């Protein structure tokens, strides 16, 4: 497995594969890989001849008071896991490679309607940072197919819109959420939880499931969301940032259930924000 740091090395490697007629699959990550990331890698492997994984903790998507500095960096362990899966190359650029003009980089603005709500409202500028880094990674890796996790549903929608609007020649694949046995969606941030918080955390997915059941049984949307929010508070979440039923394409809140609807949730345990979601059309979400 190659470890590439320079932009020119990444481009040259991709050009060689493309010349040989090989399809390139790509999984962008910020490292600290868990089984959820590895399931994305496996999906990329099924759809491509070569698989590239990037590991880059992107400063542009963290707000000034967020966890950029303490974000777990576990490069050696990550590389071992990726080598065991037969990944062809790890792209591990430095900040100067990704943002030659840092701290004043050129920024690609995320679709303002999609980015205004939910995570975007809580984290101003976050999605511009994500859109910018992913477009730059696409330019360097030149993938045919890229795999993203459903856990960050809004990110997925915004990046798909970016690909569509800017005619980026990449097939976007959305992989289902990988969960712990108790239902908690896998996330690098789960390791910030103490034992008490970890015991509360699965209530997020349980609440999404119960709320979906209530909605599908005909409960009015406002009542189901209010009951779900109360359940999260009772379970011990310190704050419920949102529990919302939205249109899966536009992310606009819905007053009635309709095909393509998604339940989105973000709730806090101490300073850790947990995200989860459930697609109402797909059993198991
Ligand atoms: O989902 C993530 O880990 C990040 O937002 C991504 C897509 C790797 C961009 O930094």
């Amino acid at each position: 497995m190659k470890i590439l740091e320079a932009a020119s090395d990444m481009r040259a490697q991709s050009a060689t594969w493309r010349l040989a007629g090989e399809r390139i699959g790509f999984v962008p990550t910020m490292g600290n890989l868990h089984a959820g990331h590895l399931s994305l890698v496996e999906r990329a492997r099924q759809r491509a001849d070569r698989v590239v994984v990037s590991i880059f903790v992107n400063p542009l998507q963290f707000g000034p008071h967020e966890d950029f500095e303490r974000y777990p960096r576990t490069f050696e362990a990550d590389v071992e896991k990726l080598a065991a899966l037969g990944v062809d190359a790890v792209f591990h650029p430095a900040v100067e490679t990704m943002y030659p003009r840092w701290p004043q980089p050129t920024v690609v603005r995320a679709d303002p309607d999609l980015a205004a709500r939910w995570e975007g409202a809580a984290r101003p500028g976050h999605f511009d940072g994500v859109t910018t880094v992913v477009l730059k990674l696409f330019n360097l890796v030149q993938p045919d197919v890229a795999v993203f996790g459903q856990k960050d549903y809004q990110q997925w929608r915004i990046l798909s819109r970016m690909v569509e609007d800017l005619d980026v020649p990449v097939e976007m694949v959305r992989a289902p959420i990988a969960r712990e046995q108790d239902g908690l969606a896998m996330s690098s941030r789960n390791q910030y939880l103490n034992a008490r918080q970890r015991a509360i955390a699965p209530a997020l997915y349980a609440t999404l499931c119960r709320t979906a059941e209530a909605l599908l049984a005909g409960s009015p949307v406002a009542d189901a969301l209010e009951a779900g929010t109360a359940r999260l508070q009772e379970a011990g979440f310190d704050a419920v940032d949102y529990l919302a039923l939205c249109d899966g394409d536009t992310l606009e809140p819905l007053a009635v259930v309709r095909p393509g609807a998604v339940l989105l949730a973000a709730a806090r345990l101490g300073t850790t924000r947990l995200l989860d979601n459930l697609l109402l059309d797909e059993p198991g979400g």
Side-chain angles (χ1 to χ4, degrees), residues 28-30 37 56 58 61 130 133-134 148 152 155 159:
T29 80
M30 297 205 298
H37 294 109
F56 178 65
N58 174 29
Q61 70 188 74
V130 172
V133 80
V134 170
F148 293 86
D152 297 301
Q155 165 172 286
L159 291 172

Side-chain angles (χ1 to χ4, degrees), residues 163-177:
V163 160
E164 203 180 298
D165 287 356
L166 303 183
D167 285 319
V168 185
V170 176
E171 181 196 343
M172 298 284 285
V173 171
R174 187 182 70 209
I177 301 176

Side-chain angles (χ1 to χ4, degrees), residues 175-188:
I177 301 176
R179 298 188 178 279
E180 304 288 356
Q181 291 224 317
D182 59 11
L184 177 64
M186 289 189 185
S187 163
S188 298

